[in-house]
Amino acid sequence: MMVLDVKKIVFSAVLLVMSLPLIAKQKPANPQQQPTTQEQMIQRLYEAQVSGNDSAFYAVHQRLMRYLEQHHDWATFYRTWMNRVIYEVNHKHFYRAYSEIRHLTDDAKERHQEQYLYMANMGLGFFYNGRNQPEMSEKYFRRALQGLDAEKEPVAVFNAYLSLAQSLSFNRPAEAMACLDSLPQQMLQNPLYESGVLGYRCIIANKLDDRAAFLRYFHRYDSIRQHQPTHFNAANLEQVMVCHSLMQNDYRQALAWCDSIEVPLMATELRINIYEEMGDWQKAYRATQLKDSLQLVDQRKLLEQQLVEMSHDIDMFQAEQEKARMRHIQLVIVGLMALAIIGLLIGMLVYRHKKNRRLKEQFQQLQEAHRHTKAGQAIRRAFVNTIHEKLKNPISVLRGYAHIFNNPDFRLKPEERPKRYKDILTAARNIESLMDPVLDSYAQGATGITDEEKRICSNALRSPLLTLINTAELIIDSNGQIPHEEYMQLRATVCRDAYHVATSTHQLILFSLYGDDIPTPKENEVGLNEMARSVLKSYDLQPSSIDKQRTLATEFSTTVSDDVIVHTSPLLHELLDCLLDNADKYATGGKLQMSCYADIDGTYAISVSNEGPVIPAEDAERIFEPFVRLSKDEQSLGIGLSLARRLAVSMGYSLVYDSEYTKGSRFVVTGI
């Protein structure tokens, strides 16, 4: 008994069966009923697919996809997309097929249609089958089956099992036959499906040299062909008939069936098997030479096609780059024109202001200037918000490590140090790269800063930042070889500078964001005591406390009932953090206390106090000005209290220094 090689002859059957959910719609259930637009397009797609005309197939496929998308028919939409993948694989356009599978996957995720992701696995199975990699195709067909519901999608399960059987038939035909036994039986009641599977069974039975099984399947297969020709699946007819003719020792008829096969390579492979069965080794040798020649031609065409597709993608990529470059130039030109127009408008406003003193025109000019200012504020705030989002993670990393390293009992193994300090180094460099934009945004705010103030900001940030970067690099480069005592000193430096850089950068961004006197909406309802306790509990004492050798505790007190609810903004948390940071910085010991109480006007107040030096009366208001530092040796930014007051004003509160408190300093937020 001759055994046929099914690697080349099974694939067409699977592709046709995969198309059946679409093809089955081509005829209306009622002969008098006219086909719908969708059915007409599906029929045209099938005809174009059979013809192999690329341009016709792509055009019809694109129209059908648009139609299905407009009608939100996602099941047919993704099946139609899968037909595109099958078409590309069948024509050996493997690069295109893989691109379509990737786009199908992204599309299903973007539309939240994850139930159709099994089709991507089916597509990868067909892709590897087409490239004669049965082990890989088996893997993806099994994945597709795991994502399918047999009751809801019997057609898809049918296709998956049939495709899996094809992959198994390459090396494990017995398992392939068992896989066909798992096909949903209700699908086999359709003669079109049944005949396709029977033809496939005949080929595998022939490969297994199971004559009885072959004849049993062939009898039913031939019966459908003879009595139900309109519902007969003729995808593998020639291969089945070659097997049957050889069983009858009818070599002439077997060769005649080979002549009707349109694929030269497939026909040549079958002729080789027939000549070998006949014992005509000379013709078998010539056919083998022809087969090798055809395979070389196929490989050359495949390589040429892949090169063409890759060249096309390269051209497309270069074209996109050129478009992006042109768009960038256009944006630059538009930006310059906008600046020129804004300059011209400002000049016109100044000119009109000098030439016309009438009250009405002055009012109009002021309104125009106000609108421009608001637009500029909105743009600047959006820019600062973007920087803020980029810096959130680096700031969080530095604060986190500062908190961990502030604990003297924390131990880090030498081999763990490079990874941890690389995290710190990366965060510090990210902050360093965005430092100038942060300062520039602050300089362009409503109040603005002078060049000297900008220099103070830069020095106050850059010095600890560079120390932090250099120390982290030193620890990383040491490979854990630094003596423990020296390492602990370096760690304390990293801890102190990480906290300083993170806090200063965060405050500077907030100062820039809320420096335009724009009111902040108070849309949050919170328990006053609960919020205050949470802020105090989440506050970490500064690493500098290790160097000061002080004992500092936190304490919360309140005379307000726990059920008191206030309307406020999340910025109140930032305001209290600024006050706690200031109180912590200058405390010499004792308690860091936060208190809540009711005011005589019916509102509530929160105070933050420490035990330490008292601020002189002449400096009681000056400390709320930006960049004011009472000590010349102090290296901080000097904007904590100024930021706290700005936040308070934006929420409609007041922030004052309590000069009657004599144990240290106490600041009170009123009007809550």
Side-chain angles (χ1 to χ4, degrees), residues 304-328:
E304 289 176 352
Q305 180 65 34
Q306 289 177 338
L307 288 174
V308 169
E309 290 173 350
M310 292 179 67
S311 297
H312 175 69
D313 281 356
I314 291 172
D315 292 341
M316 291 289 291
F317 178 71
Q318 290 176 341
E320 288 297 324
Q321 283 188 319
E322 182 62 23
K323 289 181 181 177
R325 189 181 70 83
M326 294 302 298
R327 284 196 295 268
H328 177 72

Side-chain angles (χ1 to χ4, degrees), residues 270-327:
L270 292 175
R271 288 192 185 100
I272 292 172
N273 291 323
I274 296 169
Y275 291 142
E276 289 176 351
E277 191 75 11
M278 293 170 60
D280 192 340
W281 304 109
Q282 185 175 8
K283 289 185 178 179
Y285 175 72
R286 287 199 296 268
T288 301
Q289 287 183 315
L290 177 60
K291 171 190 170 183
D292 293 341
S293 176
L294 291 172
Q295 285 180 332
L296 287 174
V297 171
D298 277 356
Q299 291 173 1
R300 179 178 59 79
K301 289 182 178 178
L302 177 59
L303 181 59
E304 289 176 352
Q305 180 65 34
Q306 289 177 338
L307 288 174
V308 169
E309 290 173 350
M310 292 179 67
S311 297
H312 175 69
D313 281 356
I314 291 172
D315 292 341
M316 291 289 291
F317 178 71
Q318 290 176 341
E320 288 297 324
Q321 283 188 319
E322 182 62 23
K323 289 181 181 177
R325 189 181 70 83
M326 294 302 298
R327 284 196 295 268

Side-chain angles (χ1 to χ4, degrees), residues 167-203:
S167 301
L168 293 171
S169 68
F170 291 168
N171 301 313
R172 308 196 306 266
E175 292 184 35
M177 189 68 81
C179 189
L180 292 178
D181 295 335
S182 302
L183 293 172
Q185 294 301 310
Q186 68 269 30
M187 299 297 299
L188 296 178
Q189 295 174 5
N190 185 324
L192 191 62
Y193 286 82
E194 184 185 11
S195 58
V197 175
L198 285 169
Y200 194 13
R201 284 183 181 275
C202 288
I203 295 172

